[in-house]
Amino acid sequence: MSQRFPPSSFSGSCSQSDQQVAEKPGFPGVPASIFNTPTDLELLDIGLNAHEPAWLLGSDFDLNALDFPLSTAISEWGHPSHEDAASHQEAYDASNLDQPRGQDQIDEAYREGLRCKLQPYPSTTALPSADFLNLCIKLYFVRFNPVFPIVHAPSFRPSSENAILLLSVCSVGALFMGSATAAAQGRKIFQTLNKANLSSWDTYIRRDAREWRSLVQASIIGQTFGMLSGQPDNVCMTESFHGTVIAWARQGGFFKIKSAPLPSTIEPDTNKEDIWRRWVDAEESVRLVLALYIHDSEFATTFHHEPLLRHTLEKLPVCNSDELFFAPSAADWYNLVEKDGAMSSEAAHMHTANLTTVPLVLTTRRAQMFAYASLAGIVASIQEKRSSFLDDTSKQHFRNLLLSWHNEYYKHIQGPKRNHINLLIFWHAAFMALYADSDLLERSIGRDGRQAAQEARGDVESWAASVEARRGVLHALLLLKDLEMLPIGLEPAIHVPKAAFYSAMVVYTYIKFKPSADSYAPSHDEVDIPELQVSGSNGALNPNSDKASAAFFSPVEPSILCNAIDLLRRIGHWEISRKFASILQILLDDLTKA
């Protein structure tokens, strides 16, 4: 969104108790009880919290192993000291004032000044303490990795080879401390890492595949940080950098890896650890490509342009189930492989007679990352078609795709134990993208200034009078109801803040520009459409039925925006949520003339 809207007045604060508390070894100043507090993640039955690596809690955490390669990577640019830079700048300025040379000539002082200007000046700020980084890492794997699982926590260890990845993990983990100081440290790490990535990528691609993969993973995590930071310059920078990360992944050969095959159950026991680690390498490679597809969809819908990647189901690599990815050890992983192998064999036997069934591995259906990327692909395709011409035939095609996706994946993501990536919220957001042009709605609320808003008025009034507008409103209401039901301790997925914002914007635009001044309440015919009659489509409107009914929709009124503002201010740790809430507050004031 544009910088014309003021930043949110919401600001987090933290207080420090004066009482003495018992401390956890390895985390000075951190009460031991914090590690024993149950969270909503414990509702998940796939063991996301089970892994507690010993190196996270040790006192011998090697901070120099992280600091040295990072500083070395930046220093390879050969930047001068600040004193040298100042003297060169003075010589450069003096040479500009001295005019005896011809217009087509330069002198040595001018040349030296140019050399100085071409060299960056990275920050010399020291990294935070090892205890701080330790806590950031733990919080990342407990809070963020479950909703964006691209790093394999059980096998992850800090080293000089993955220093940039580890610091990228720390930048995101710092946000979950709930402290303004910690968040500022996270932003500093994020900004420093951008320079380090750009300066050192060529050294990584000359090394082995693991270091290359670490670079791409670090960049993806950094992209996520910038995307959700709420700072317009960070968002624009990450969108510009998106194509570079895709290019790195292509050059590393990660797009050529289509799956991470599971081993045969007859492998000797002595090979379990090696087989597991080889599988982890392939699985992480698959998941980072899926993450790039998800990012591509997010950037396309945020900036209203065509995606950079071609989003078809056939192009997506196939990842394995989340249970396998989060297995804490080779032995646990191997037990799950044997279990899934038996279940897949039984499923294959049941479908042998049905030749029209598309063969899908059972573990793939349970892999939320694959379901996430496939749904993101539909959203990206809608955006690509809307950039050219989205006609009724195309809309029906996308409706069928979304219904097929729901039919395929809903039974594997329903319930609080499986819905940690909030895919039903994303599913409703996909229908909103189909029924409402978010670019038009943003222009109508003043993103590009008053004149652009006036020019969009005719189109937005036509939309508000259409059947599609009312369908978009219904999906917006269901999305907000789904958001209300998320456990308070569960971190929302990266698409949730924008989905909540667009839901409220659809409601606002409809209320403001609809032909009638009366409150809108959906009729039975408007609710009796396929996408609202599938299982789970009613969100939390009716606990006794899976399907939506007109009787369970409240009238569409400005109070819905109050609800959305409150949700955005309370969910998660992303600053973009607070920025969206501040924009919606302006829209609410407009409706109520406050």
Side-chain angles (χ1 to χ4, degrees):
M1 292 296 298
S2 169
Q3 297 186 58
R4 294 186 181 89
F5 298 105
S8 172
S9 58
F10 179 89
S11 61
S13 61
C14 65
S15 60
Q16 184 175 2
S17 174
D18 295 329
Q19 300 177 351
Q20 296 296 322
V21 294
E23 295 180 357
K24 184 81 171 179
F27 288 93
V30 180
S33 59
I34 192 174
F35 298 98
N36 301 320
T37 303
T39 69
D40 288 282
L41 285 177
E42 293 174 356
L43 295 173
L44 307 178
D45 57 0
I46 60 176
L48 301 186
N49 285 358
H51 179 63
E52 188 72 44
W55 61 265
L56 280 177
L57 303 178
S59 60
D60 58 347
F61 190 93
D62 189 359
L63 184 61
N64 291 330
L66 308 181
D67 203 4
F68 176 73
L70 181 64
S71 59
T72 300
I74 299 178
S75 66
E76 287 178 356
W77 264 347
H79 60 278
S81 66
H82 291 294
E83 292 79 6
D84 292 340
S87 62
H88 290 322
Q89 184 64 38
E90 291 173 1
Y92 178 70
D93 294 338
S95 67
N96 280 334
L97 297 175
D98 192 13
Q99 298 296 330
R101 65 180 185 274
Q103 292 182 346
D104 57 347
Q105 297 177 351
I106 62 174
D107 55 20
E108 282 300 312
Y110 189 88
R111 185 199 67 81
E112 188 65 17
L114 287 178
R115 186 184 72 83
C116 180
K117 279 187 170 292
L118 289 175
Q119 294 171 334
Y121 306 100
S123 172
T124 57
T125 303
L127 288 174
S129 68
D131 290 332
F132 180 90
L133 297 178
N134 255 343
L135 186 54
C136 290
I137 295 164
K138 178 179 176 63
L139 291 173
Y140 174 90
F141 283 118
V142 171
R143 303 299 301 274
F144 184 73
N145 204 49
V147 300
F148 203 61
I150 64 172
V151 179
H152 189 251
S155 63
F156 184 81
R157 296 293 184 276
S159 67
S160 59
E161 288 76 17
N162 64 12
I164 288 182
L165 170 59
L166 189 137
L167 287 172
S168 195
V169 164
C170 291
S171 69
V172 174
L175 299 179
F176 297 103
M177 291 188 185
S179 159
T181 302
Q185 288 280 18
R187 285 191 294 271
K188 288 180 181 178
I189 296 173
F190 161 74
Q191 292 163 359
T192 304
L193 279 175
N194 280 319
K195 299 181 178 70
N197 283 347
L198 287 172
S199 65
S200 62
W201 69 270
D202 55 335
T203 64
Y204 275 80
I205 65 175
R206 291 196 296 266
R207 299 174 185 173
D208 63 26
R210 291 186 181 182
E211 293 188 55
W212 200 330
R213 186 172 63 251
S214 293
L215 172 67
V216 179
Q217 287 173 315
S219 299
I220 291 173
I221 294 170
Q223 291 286 93
T224 307
F225 186 104
M227 185 190 307
L228 300 173
S229 67
Q231 302 298 322
D233 53 344
N234 287 344
V235 176
C236 292
M237 179 192 66
T238 53
E239 201 266 347
S240 302
F241 193 45
H242 174 56
T244 301
V245 182
I246 291 176
W248 289 349
R250 289 195 189 281
Q251 293 166 11
F254 300 117
F255 278 88
K256 297 178 181 178
I257 302 174
K258 297 302 181 183
S259 65
L262 296 173
S264 169
T265 56
I266 62 173
E267 293 283 351
D269 291 348
T270 54
N271 291 333
K272 283 183 180 179
E273 190 74 24
D274 292 339
I275 293 171
W276 181 51
R277 293 191 178 278
R278 287 198 299 269
W279 176 84
V280 166
D281 290 343
E283 183 71 9
E284 282 192 329
S285 299
V286 166
R287 286 173 177 258
L288 73 83
V289 171
L290 294 176
L292 286 174
Y293 275 98
I294 294 168
H295 274 188
D296 195 47
S297 177
E298 285 294 305
F299 284 125
T301 53
T302 298
F303 290 92
H304 315 296
H305 58 58
E306 298 88 346
L308 298 185
L309 298 170
R310 300 282 73 80
H311 290 260
T312 61
L313 195 61
E314 295 76 17
K315 288 186 174 294
L316 287 181
V318 177
C319 67
N320 288 279
S321 70
D322 299 321
E323 291 92 337
L324 287 169
F325 191 64
F326 288 111
S329 67
D332 293 325
W333 173 79
Y334 214 84
N335 290 335
L336 288 171
V337 169
E338 292 179 333
K339 177 183 175 181
D340 284 337
M343 294 174 63
S344 298
S345 298
E346 182 181 350
H349 177 73
M350 292 173 59
H351 291 294
T352 301
N354 187 359
L355 299 180
T356 62
T357 301
V358 178
L360 283 177
V361 180
L362 187 62
T363 56
T364 301
R365 290 195 182 118
R366 297 206 309 271
Q368 291 210 26
M369 196 68 177
F370 183 83
Y372 193 2
S374 61
L375 184 55
I378 300 175
V379 175
S381 298
I382 292 172
Q383 176 59 39
E384 183 174 21
K385 195 68 176 177
R386 188 177 289 283
S387 299
S388 55
F389 180 64
L390 185 62
D391 56 13
D392 292 337
T393 302
S394 299
K395 291 177 182 177
Q396 185 58 49
H397 169 68
F398 289 125
R399 269 193 294 267
N400 292 338
L401 285 178
L402 289 169
L403 289 171
S404 297
W405 182 94
H406 186 281
N407 181 63
E408 185 64 42
Y409 295 106
Y410 174 71
K411 56 184 173 291
H412 302 293
I413 63 173
Q414 62 179 324
K417 295 183 178 181
R418 301 176 181 175
N419 192 27
H420 51 282
I421 303 187
N422 322 130
L423 291 179
L424 286 180
I425 289 177
F426 199 24
W427 187 72
H428 286 298
F431 274 105
M432 285 198 307
L434 185 62
Y435 293 137
D437 183 351
S438 56
D439 182 41
L440 173 65
L441 300 190
E442 287 182 17
R443 284 188 280 118
S444 73
I445 67 172
R447 181 195 68 194
D448 298 332
R450 185 179 301 274
Q451 182 177 351
Q454 290 296 326
E455 292 172 353
R457 187 179 182 90
D459 290 336
V460 79
E461 286 178 346
S462 298
W463 171 81
S466 68
V467 173
E468 291 187 349
R470 294 191 289 275
R471 289 184 177 181
V473 168
L474 294 180
H475 281 285
L477 297 177
L478 292 171
L479 189 155
L480 292 174
K481 285 296 181 182
D482 279 335
L483 185 54
E484 286 179 355
M485 297 303 294
L486 291 184
I488 193 169
L490 188 66
E491 191 67 22
I494 63 175
H495 59 268
V496 170
K498 188 173 71 174
F501 172 71
Y502 280 143
S503 296
M505 190 166 61
V506 164
V507 171
Y508 162 82
T509 310
Y510 179 76
I511 292 175
K512 184 173 180 65
F513 295 102
K514 61 185 174 66
S516 172
D518 299 331
S519 296
Y520 166 65
S523 65
H524 174 75
D525 290 340
E526 289 174 329
V527 175
D528 190 21
I529 55 178
E531 69 238 33
L532 298 184
Q533 298 304 313
V534 296
S535 298
S537 61
N538 72 326
L541 292 176
N542 180 15
N544 300 317
S545 174
D546 250 356
K547 300 178 181 180
S549 169
F552 299 105
F553 284 94
S554 59
V556 180
E557 297 174 340
S559 60
I560 296 171
L561 268 71
C562 297
N563 185 33
I565 293 169
D566 183 55
L567 288 170
L568 282 168
R569 284 177 173 164
R570 288 192 288 115
I571 61 170
H573 297 78
W574 307 116
E575 185 60 29
I576 191 68
S577 297
R578 263 65 73 184
K579 292 298 178 67
F580 282 151
S582 68
I583 296 171
L584 293 181
Q585 186 65 59
I586 296 173
L587 302 185
L588 178 62
D589 292 344
D590 178 60
L591 286 181
T592 58
K593 307 299 181 184

